[in-house]
């Protein structure tokens, strides 16, 4: 594929965004409706619904805070209005101050300080309107794929996932890495049984050891709950689609990682510090892993599915890749690329991979994905502690 230029928005911290959103970021579940109200009033704004922000402590508090900040600092976001209630554990001021360190416009609106939902909504909408206008005045500039972080994910997998869409995404992962970019592999739960293959590709012993550590930790969580991960994974839909064991599913999921060396293994919602192939420790839950990778700075997501899913993100375009033609035809309104041609024998992995690369370029340069068009603004944070 010819290496065409990508066009994006250069941010104050030097990173490049392929979208130019104004994010209304609620730091507490109590503020999510007010934030949604603002998005309905002001075109060019996005937000998300969640259940977090209060009664969280320790590492669970830290992880939620890191996710909020990561969403706000993602380069696809021009500016942020942090909306808080006022009395919550995750104080809006702390989140706003941390986001502001990247240099983008950030404002704080507190429902309690502004005298209630209506007054806070009006204030946030007024700020948002000006912010959107300022954002619209930005001019795109060319950038190279070396500045792109591509998140990879599979959800609603079937027996075709490991044969078509996932290895095609693996081909794309290799191409992105070869051009100096970053590809994120996630879904620790769904790599159980394939971890040795990734550990063998680690750049050093420290990374290899961490591969086994995160797998053991994930399994230990289930054991401490007195359950077996394999009773729920593969899921009923996976089994109906032809997958029989977690190990079979994991081998297919690992195919998204391509063949390049594993550079590092990072925590949930953490920004990669290395270029190349990176593994983020996330659960298998589609929305939680998607949110973690976007909070980690991914500007675009490749999402494969055999059963079909409408999943999207409020700030990052999600390219949906079907593993089989039957589902692609049935769910054309949700799917962007058909990799089922590999199963049919009319295309090979390389040709489908090239089509996905072309789709990345078109999407980065402004083409809307199906999930964007349908406003599929899904968001969820991986909770790792109890509510107090």
């Amino acid at each position: 594929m010819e290496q065409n230029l990508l066009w994006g928005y250069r941010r104050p911290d030097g990173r490049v965004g392929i979208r130019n959103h104004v994010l209304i970021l609620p730091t507490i579940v109590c503020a999510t409706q007010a934030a949604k109200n603002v998005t309905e009033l002001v075109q060019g704004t996005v937000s998300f619904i969640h259940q977090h922000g209060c009664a969280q402590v320790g590492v669970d508090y830290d992880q939620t805070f890191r996710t909020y900040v990561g969403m706000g600092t993602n380069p696809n976001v021009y500016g942020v209005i942090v909306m808080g209630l006022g009395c919550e554990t995750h104080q809006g001021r702390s989140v706003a101050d941390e986001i502001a360190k990247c240099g983008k416009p950030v404002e704080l609106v507190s429902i309690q300080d502004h005298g209630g939902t209506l007054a806070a909504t009006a204030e946030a909408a007024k700020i948002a309107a000006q912010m959107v206008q300022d954002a619209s005045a930005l001019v795109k500039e060319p950038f190279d794929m070396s500045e792109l972080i591509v998140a990879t994910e599979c959800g609603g997998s079937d027996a075709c996932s490991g044969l078509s869409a996932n290895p095609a995404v693996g081909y794309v992962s290799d191409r992105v890495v070869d051009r100096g970019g970053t590809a994120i592999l996630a879904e620790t739960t769904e790599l159980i049984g394939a971890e040795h293959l990734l550990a063998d590709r680690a750049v050093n012993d420290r990374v290899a050891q961490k591969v086994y550590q995160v797998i053991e930790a994930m399994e230990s969580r289930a054991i401490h709950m007195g359950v077996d991960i394999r009773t729920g994974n593969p899921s009923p839909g996976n089994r109906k689609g032809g997958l029989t064991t977690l190990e079979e599913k994991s081998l297919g999921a690992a195919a998204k990682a391509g063949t390049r060396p594993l550079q590092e293994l990072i925590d949930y919602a953490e920004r990669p510090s290395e270029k190349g192939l990176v593994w983020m420790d996330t659960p298998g839950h589609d929305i939680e892993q998607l949110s973690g990778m976007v909070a980690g700075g991914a500007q675009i997501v490749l999402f494969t599915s055999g059963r079909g899913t409408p999943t999207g993100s409020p700030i990052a375009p999600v390219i949906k890749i079907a593993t089989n033609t039957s589902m692609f035809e049935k769910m054309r309104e949700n799917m962007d690329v058909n990799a089922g041609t590999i199963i049919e024998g009319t295309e090979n992995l390389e040709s489908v991979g090239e089509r996905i690369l072309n789709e990345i370029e078109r999407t980065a340069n402004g083409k809307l994905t199906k999930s964007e068009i349908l406003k599929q603004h899904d968001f969820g944070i991986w909770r790792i502690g109890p509510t107090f």
Side-chain angles (χ1 to χ4, degrees):
M1 184 191 70
E2 181 183 351
Q3 295 188 17
N4 299 319
L5 282 176
L6 304 174
W7 292 82
Y9 303 95
R10 183 71 61 181
R11 303 303 181 198
D13 64 359
R15 293 188 291 167
V16 180
I18 62 173
R19 294 295 185 263
N20 203 30
H21 300 300
V22 169
L23 175 63
I24 315 301
L25 197 165
T27 57
I28 175 68
V29 59
C30 313
T32 56
Q33 184 58 50
K36 183 174 181 290
N37 292 343
V38 176
T39 65
E40 293 173 351
L41 289 167
V42 183
Q43 182 179 343
T45 60
V46 293
S47 188
F48 46 78
I49 303 295
H50 66 86
Q51 67 184 64
H52 309 284
C54 207
Q56 293 180 261
V57 298
V59 293
D60 189 52
Y61 170 95
D62 294 339
Q63 183 160 283
T64 295
F65 183 86
R66 184 169 67 245
T67 305
Y68 288 156
V69 172
M71 293 295 284
T73 57
N74 185 290
N76 286 350
V77 174
Y78 166 81
V80 184
I81 298 172
V82 175
M83 290 200 75
L85 176 61
C87 58
E88 64 271 22
T89 305
H90 285 86
Q91 284 288 295
R93 173 51 62 195
S94 298
V95 174
D97 287 348
E98 192 65 26
I99 294 172
K101 291 179 181 178
C102 74
K104 65 179 59 177
V106 182
E107 298 286 347
L108 172 66
V109 175
S110 167
I111 293 173
Q112 291 173 350
D113 289 347
H114 284 82
T117 298
L118 296 179
T121 299
E123 178 64 16
K126 183 171 72 172
I127 298 170
Q130 183 61 58
M131 207 176 274
V132 168
Q133 188 171 51
D134 294 341
S136 71
L138 290 187
V139 177
K140 285 186 174 182
E141 61 180 72
F143 72 98
D144 188 74
M145 190 169 280
S146 62
E147 298 189 76
L148 206 59
I149 298 178
V150 178
T152 66
E153 180 174 352
C154 50
S157 301
D158 70 347
C160 297
S161 296
L163 302 173
S164 60
N166 286 4
V169 167
Y171 172 89
V172 173
S173 176
D174 285 350
R175 292 294 301 275
V176 169
V177 169
D178 290 346
R179 289 171 60 174
T182 302
I184 302 181
L185 176 71
E187 307 171 279
T188 300
T189 313
E190 295 171 12
L191 293 171
I192 295 172
E195 64 270 18
H196 60 291
L197 302 175
L198 291 158
D200 287 346
R201 290 162 51 190
V203 293
N204 56 47
D205 289 341
R206 178 182 57 79
V207 175
Q209 290 170 5
K210 193 166 183 180
V211 167
Y212 291 111
Q213 289 170 358
V214 299
I215 290 290
E216 182 180 358
M218 188 64 77
E219 289 197 284
S220 294
R221 291 186 186 99
I223 292 170
H224 290 154
M225 291 174 62
V227 299
D228 183 351
I229 288 177
R230 291 160 182 80
T231 61
N233 203 347
S235 69
N238 295 152
R239 294 182 186 279
K240 191 173 181 180
L243 290 173
T244 59
T245 66
L246 177 57
E247 289 75 13
E248 180 186 10
K249 184 177 180 180
S250 296
L251 289 170
K256 301 193 305 297
T259 62
R260 299 301 183 259
L262 179 64
Q263 298 294 328
E264 66 175 338
L265 206 158
I266 59 177
D267 290 336
Y268 183 87
E270 184 180 4
R271 190 188 305 178
S273 62
E274 301 286 344
K275 297 277 191 177
L277 177 64
V278 173
W279 175 349
M280 179 181 287
D281 183 17
T282 77
H285 187 283
D286 291 347
I287 310 303
E288 292 180 358
Q289 63 179 281
L290 173 62
S291 301
M293 290 187 287
V294 173
Q299 300 108 318
I300 195 166
V301 182
L302 301 180
F303 191 123
T304 71
S305 184
R307 305 291 293 163
T309 171
T311 305
S313 165
I315 64 174
V318 178
I319 298 174
K320 290 297 191 38
I321 306 163
T323 72
N324 64 85
T325 301
S326 175
M327 186 275 287
F328 178 78
E329 295 293 345
K330 186 187 301 182
M331 297 187 66
R332 275 183 175 270
E333 65 190 44
N334 299 111
M335 309 307 295
D336 299 287
V337 177
N338 180 26
T341 51
I342 295 171
I343 302 298
E344 296 166 348
T346 58
E347 278 191 287
N348 58 27
L349 289 174
E350 180 177 335
S351 61
V352 173
E354 290 295 326
R355 283 202 288 119
I356 296 170
L357 278 167
N358 286 328
E359 195 69 13
I360 288 175
E361 290 191 349
R362 288 193 292 267
T363 301
N365 290 336
K367 179 183 178 182
L368 296 178
T369 63
K370 299 290 181 64
S371 61
E372 289 181 290
I373 293 168
L374 297 177
K375 299 181 180 180
Q376 192 77 31
H377 295 167
D378 301 317
F379 178 80
I381 302 175
W382 181 23
R383 287 292 297 268
I384 54 174
T387 300
F388 287 100

